[in-house]
Amino acid sequence: MTATLEPKDRQQLLDRFLRYVKVDTRSDESSESSPTTEKQKDLSRMLAEELKALGCDDAAMNEWGYVLASIPANLPSDHPAAGKVPAIGLIAHVDTYFGTSGKDVKPQIIESYDGGDITLNAEQVLKAADNPNLAKCVGHKLIHTDGTTLLGADDKAGVAEIMTAIAWIKANPNFLHGPIKIAFTTDEEVGRGTEHFDVKAFGADYAYTLDGSDLGEIEDETFCADTANVTVVGHDVHPGYAKDKLVNALRVTAAIIEGIGDELLPETTEGREPYLHPYIASGDVTKVDLKVLVRAFSVEKLNEREDFLKKVIADVEKRFPKAKISVEISESYRNMAYKIREDPKVLDYALEAVERIGVTPIRQAIRGGTDGARLSYMGLLTPNVWAGGQNFHSVREWVSLEWMSKAVEATLEILTVWVEKSA
Ligand SMILES: [Zn+2]
């Protein structure tokens, strides 16, 4: 049976979303604590209570602000898949982007979008021409901001969708499913969303984050990421008497950055192209620490870029023979596709489920990392499914309720596919 949301389910999905976005859960990049902001727990506490009210008795928030809960399988003992369905995790994050205010969010609702520009406030207009996805949402119920804060669809759309899937499952006891594990995490936006994630205790065999954007999107690829830490040591001499003696670490660093060229930078690449990104240079004439991000979709391409950087440095060393330059490469994360390829059904079943609900799946490679990528390397394969939000992290964020509803239906269908394939 393919689950379809009724108007009342959609209304509940909307009500949940509106309730969650009004809770300020902005994370803080500069904070060392966990969670980085205590206010994230305001939403987590609310979710734990709502889960309990839905009948998830084990729902609880831990000290890191994560909410964990589970739903046991409900297959009758004579069902061919009874006891054989892997536990499926559903994951979303409660925090919102640290760079944009998430306080006093005033969500604005368009009952049926007409295809035109959307006025956010006296100064700001969301232009249909700049937002090609708006054209796909004519007739949809849209939620946008008043132009002063972010909306928080990243990732409260995902949170509301998972909560609605759970509510639907509880309300439809005839819907057969295997064990379900739920996690709402904190601090995803500051890259620390899996810092305290105990994969073993969570108990899922496979998982999905609902944290993507466009309808149908399934992301199973991320960048491979390294950081090159370049240290340039010069030789400082009184500039009045410096002839043939002074080696200026700043000029050496500038030569390295110049040597990287214009073509393979984040600002000049897209799609599956790799890049080198010099992003921090700190120091003075004597010594400079330069950090360069290296990104590519394969380890081979990543190594190619690193070799190129080393060659640039070797050339600069020839020009400044008295400078001492060293490079140390540190690994950040790897493309989760490498892990998913080892056991691709987690992806295949999601693609099949999306097709079954009448949506064309769009496989995407993310030019970044995700919590799912890190989890995949921690032993829990976790592709990312769309949640519907657009213009993430900005005051121009908006979301379509239909795309959110479809994400709930896809989630339920994924659970069904897992049951069928386990029989
Ligand atoms: Zn997100």
Side-chain angles (χ1 to χ4, degrees):
M1 133 179 160
T2 294
T4 314
L5 294 196
E6 304 285 327
K8 68 166 175 19
D9 303 314
R10 287 168 180 248
Q11 186 59 46
Q12 284 177 10
L13 173 61
L14 176 64
D15 293 345
R16 285 189 183 98
F17 179 67
L18 297 178
R19 196 154 68 230
Y20 304 157
V21 299
K22 284 175 189 156
V23 185
D24 181 10
T25 57
R26 185 179 183 173
S27 48
D28 179 1
E29 202 188 22
S30 66
S31 162
E32 304 269 299
S33 55
S34 271
T36 58
T37 52
E38 276 298 304
K39 60 190 175 190
Q40 293 177 60
K41 288 184 177 171
D42 295 342
L43 179 54
S44 293
R45 241 176 253 117
M46 192 166 151
L47 292 170
E49 286 311 311
E50 289 185 17
L51 282 164
K52 276 198 190 127
L54 286 171
C56 298
D57 300 330
D58 65 349
M61 178 183 82
N62 67 20
E63 59 178 308
W64 321 113
Y66 295 15
V67 179
L68 299 166
S70 63
I71 303 177
N74 68 348
L75 299 176
S77 57
D78 60 347
H79 189 283
K84 293 196 283 191
V85 188
I88 301 302
L90 303 174
I91 304 172
H93 64 90
V94 298
D95 65 310
T96 59
Y97 178 59
F98 53 87
T100 310
S101 173
K103 192 171 183 288
D104 299 323
V105 172
K106 293 179 197 73
Q108 309 289 307
I109 299 173
I110 298 174
E111 285 300 324
S112 176
Y113 174 59
D114 64 2
D117 294 344
I118 298 170
T119 302
L120 302 181
N121 57 36
E123 285 106 54
Q124 297 194 69
V125 174
L126 197 61
K127 288 238 189 319
D130 302 338
N131 291 269
N133 278 340
L134 278 175
K136 299 175 190 164
C137 297
V138 174
H140 294 190
K141 189 175 280 200
L142 298 190
I143 306 108
H144 62 84
T145 70
D146 67 354
T148 62
T149 65
L150 47 65
L151 178 60
D154 173 16
D155 186 23
K156 287 164 186 170
V159 174
E161 287 153 14
I162 293 173
M163 291 296 290
T164 302
I166 296 161
W168 192 92
I169 288 167
K170 293 290 185 185
N172 291 273
N174 293 331
F175 175 80
L176 298 180
H177 57 81
I180 302 167
K181 308 286 175 179
I182 299 127
F184 297 125
T185 60
T186 51
D187 289 330
E188 189 270 353
E189 297 292 357
V190 299
R192 290 170 58 194
T194 58
E195 201 170 82
H196 304 286
F197 201 104
D198 184 338
V199 166
K200 212 166 168 231
F202 184 46
D205 298 301
Y206 301 90
Y208 300 90
T209 46
L210 274 79
D211 193 18
S213 190
D214 298 3
L215 177 73
E217 204 173 78
I218 306 277
E219 293 164 325
D220 64 311
E221 282 214 61
T222 56
F223 268 143
C224 292
D226 283 350
T227 303
N229 301 288
V230 183
T231 309
V232 178
V233 179
H235 182 63
D236 191 19
V237 183
H238 185 293
Y241 307 91
K243 186 157 194 306
D244 299 328
K245 293 189 197 95
L246 176 77
V247 182
N248 187 340
L250 292 169
R251 291 190 62 233
V252 177
T253 306
I256 296 171
I257 295 172
E258 192 53 34
I260 291 172
D262 296 338
E263 259 144 57
L264 289 159
L265 303 172
E267 57 268 47
T268 54
T269 54
E270 62 184 354
R272 299 186 66 86
E273 294 168 323
Y275 66 67
L276 283 172
H277 179 36
Y279 78 110
I280 298 178
S282 55
D284 54 26
V285 60
T286 353
K287 182 170 176 266
V288 173
D289 289 308
L290 170 68
K291 285 184 191 292
V292 183
L293 299 182
V294 193
R295 298 287 187 269
F297 283 100
S298 71
V299 171
E300 292 74 22
K301 291 270 179 213
L302 192 74
N303 292 338
E304 235 173 61
R305 289 289 87 208
E306 286 162 3
D307 290 345
F308 172 76
L309 179 63
K310 286 174 189 164
K311 190 184 163 289
V312 167
I313 289 169
D315 290 345
V316 170
E317 272 173 330
K318 277 183 211 139
R319 187 174 148 203
F320 298 93
K322 288 181 188 158
K324 288 194 190 73
I325 313 176
S326 59
V327 195
E328 221 177 275
I329 306 274
S330 64
E331 181 177 321
S332 304
Y333 54 87
R334 290 289 174 259
N335 187 343
M336 77 170 142
Y338 284 108
K339 283 283 152 194
I340 289 176
R341 238 170 262 159
E342 293 170 13
D343 191 1
K345 55 182 178 289
V346 65
L347 171 65
D348 296 343
Y349 294 0
L351 295 172
E352 181 168 344
V354 172
E355 270 176 15
R356 284 202 207 174
I357 64 158
V359 172
T360 307
I362 308 163
R363 275 179 70 182
Q364 289 278 27
I366 310 165
R367 286 177 73 80
T370 63
D371 276 357
R374 291 186 186 87
L375 290 173
S376 294
Y377 280 88
M378 287 158 73
L380 180 61
L381 297 180
T382 309
N384 189 30
V385 175
W386 83 91
Q390 303 288 313
N391 299 339
F392 278 8
H393 301 178
S394 91
V395 297
R396 297 168 168 269
E397 225 187 330
W398 60 274
V399 68
S400 149
L401 184 65
E402 335 297 305
W403 285 14
M404 289 177 65
S405 303
K406 285 286 177 198
V408 178
E409 292 176 3
T411 303
L412 294 168
E413 195 63 27
I414 287 172
L415 297 171
T416 300
V417 174
W418 275 99
V419 170
E420 290 177 15
K421 304 283 184 185
S422 305

